[in-house]
Amino acid sequence: MDRNLLVAVAHFPDRGHAIEELARTNEEFCSLCSDLAEAKAALLRWEQSSSPVREARTTEYRGLMNDLAAEVEATLDRYR
């Protein structure tokens, strides 16, 4: 399974099959999963950072991840 899809499955483990199925046919959904994976990677980098803007960036990326996860979930709900 694609790394980007694994991030989505980690957020929605009970919907792994649906994520895989939708990703096979929906390029926009794949892009959304890719965005989620990129946001998670950035969040992990900021959490490890010693930068003075660490807290602001981790908050920003947590919010972005929540928004993207909500989009993934809404898309999955539409294609049930």
Side-chain angles (χ1 to χ4, degrees), residues 39-53:
K40 179 173 183 162
L43 174 61
L44 293 174
R45 282 191 305 273
W46 279 111
E47 286 177 338
Q48 302 291 323
S49 174
S50 60
S51 171
V53 296

Side-chain angles (χ1 to χ4, degrees), residues 59-78:
T59 299
E60 178 183 334
Y61 278 100
R62 272 193 198 99
L64 180 58
M65 283 193 60
N66 288 337
D67 292 346
L68 290 167
E71 273 191 72
V72 166
E73 186 173 38
T75 302
L76 288 168
D77 289 346
R78 277 196 304 275

Side-chain angles (χ1 to χ4, degrees), residues 5-6 12-13 21 25 28-30 34-35 38 42 47 53 56 58 60 62 64-65 67 72 74-75 77-78:
L5 297 181
L6 290 174
F12 305 101
E21 288 292 315
T25 60
E28 188 176 317
F29 181 72
C30 287
S34 177
D35 291 346
E38 288 177 23
E47 286 177 338
V53 296
T58 56
E60 178 183 334
R62 272 193 198 99
L64 180 58
M65 283 193 60
D67 292 346
V72 166
T75 302
D77 289 346
R78 277 196 304 275

Side-chain angles (χ1 to χ4, degrees), residues 19 31 38 52 57 68 73 79:
I19 290 168
S31 180
E38 288 177 23
R57 293 298 168 262
L68 290 167
E73 186 173 38
Y79 287 94

